[in-house]
Amino acid sequence: MDITSVTSYRFARTRDDLALAPGERILAGGTWLMSEPQPDVTGFVDITRMDWPDLEVHPGGLRIAATCTIRRFVDFSRESLERRDPTWPALAAVTDAAHALLMSFKVWNTATVGGNVCQSFTAAAMVSLLTALDADAIIWTPDGGERRQPVADFVTGQMTNTLAPGEVLRAIDVPASALEATVSFHKMALAELGRSGIVVVGRRDTDGATTVAVTASTLTPHVFAYDTLPDPVLLATDVRSPADFFTDALGDADWRREITAVLAERVRRDLKERR
């Protein structure tokens, strides 16, 4: 789509270039920004020339640049699983998350992990995955510093998050302990190719501790942590408990609540069988 309100476009190459003038907007992949009119936007600041490494493997885990494309993340996960170096079985869920996005696989070449997180849709598939993996958002602040925040807390509602004016998402850090876990990813939508109405992602760590993340059916991510695999009744009670199940054209709140419990049980069984 032509964004007719935009009169300037510049590339950011240094941190100083990230200071925005009135009406400017940060752009990485731009797949959502270019999908509909942006009447309040008069300029784009493209961060793809910041030369951030897409993916950095280190002893503590994996750092994903905000500018890393979905395609690069998927390819990395597949290559790592084939090589088994490092041995991070949780990467198997990356492709599942990418397929849960409401987009053609061709858009993976442009859409970014950071853009999906910052857009903060309730059904943002990267948010679903990264929430379940205990990932932290690394946020550059306008005073030259940075702050860390769990992705689960970063998203505050439908298309809202904690980014303050002048802040920029730099990267997402995923701990090695989560990547070494077994992961199960389940989603449901009313239409076969429709936006996810419910996403439940479960993770079982090497010590048996279990995490279940609920997204898409609620306005904010919800994470439930257990010392071991939870029993069915406890899990169903927990995942039905959030107060922000919502109704829209893609599903009623009651439907979302009950199907969340169904998917959570599928996740629990997966995690039990795969150990």
Side-chain angles (χ1 to χ4, degrees):
M1 172 175 287
D2 292 330
I3 309 299
T4 57
S5 60
V6 171
T7 58
S8 68
Y9 190 108
R10 62 184 176 89
F11 288 98
R13 291 180 170 83
T14 69
R15 189 161 180 173
D16 289 342
D17 293 335
L18 297 175
L20 301 181
E24 284 189 323
R25 188 83 174 268
I26 293 289
L27 177 144
T31 53
W32 182 82
L33 281 173
M34 300 297 182
S35 70
E36 60 182 60
Q38 309 291 340
D40 297 329
V41 179
T42 59
F44 287 133
V45 179
D46 191 325
I47 61 173
T48 58
R49 303 287 176 87
M50 290 293 289
D51 291 330
W52 297 331
D54 284 339
L55 297 140
E56 298 174 86
V57 176
H58 55 85
L62 176 67
R63 171 163 287 197
I64 308 163
T67 48
C68 177
T69 64
I70 304 292
R71 167 64 65 192
R72 180 72 187 95
F73 192 25
V74 169
D75 289 347
F76 168 83
S77 67
R78 289 172 174 169
E79 292 163 4
S80 297
L81 289 167
E82 289 173 1
R83 293 193 310 267
R84 298 181 64 81
D85 181 26
T87 306
W88 287 343
L91 289 175
V94 174
T95 299
D96 292 333
H99 281 298
L101 294 166
L102 181 58
M103 62 171 67
S104 162
F105 68 90
K106 292 177 285 188
V107 180
W108 294 359
N109 295 319
T110 303
T112 62
V113 176
N116 189 254
V117 172
C118 286
Q119 196 54 47
S120 301
F121 286 121
T122 56
M126 292 295 117
V127 172
S128 302
L129 176 64
L130 295 168
T131 293
L133 295 179
D134 287 346
D136 281 344
I138 311 305
I139 300 161
W140 278 1
T141 54
D143 61 0
E146 71 175 35
R147 64 182 180 89
R148 301 177 66 96
Q149 183 177 32
V151 172
D153 298 331
F154 177 80
V155 177
T156 58
Q158 178 72 296
M159 297 178 66
T160 63
N161 55 53
T162 65
L163 278 182
E167 291 188 333
V168 175
L169 178 66
R170 163 63 183 87
I172 297 131
D173 279 351
V174 186
S177 58
L179 292 165
E180 293 164 356
T182 301
V183 173
S184 174
F185 188 108
H186 282 267
K187 78 168 189 95
M188 187 169 289
L190 284 178
E192 182 179 356
L193 299 177
R195 191 185 76 201
S196 299
I198 304 102
V199 177
V200 181
V201 187
R203 185 186 96 234
R204 194 175 186 191
D205 296 343
T206 55
D207 64 358
T210 301
T211 299
V212 176
V214 172
T215 56
S217 57
T218 52
L219 292 173
T220 58
H222 292 271
V223 180
F224 304 93
Y226 309 92
D227 292 334
T228 187
L229 194 70
D231 69 69
V233 175
L234 174 62
L235 180 59
T237 300
D238 285 346
V239 300
R240 286 190 178 106
S241 67
D244 59 343
F245 285 101
F246 66 98
T247 295
D248 66 5
L250 298 175
D252 292 337
D254 288 344
W255 173 77
R256 284 187 157 99
R257 179 180 292 105
E258 293 311 310
I259 300 302
T260 294
V262 171
L263 296 189
E265 176 56 18
R266 292 180 185 175
V267 164
R268 192 192 70 83
R269 290 179 181 177
D270 281 351
L271 296 177
K272 182 178 181 180
E273 292 170 359
R274 293 178 188 176
R275 294 298 298 231

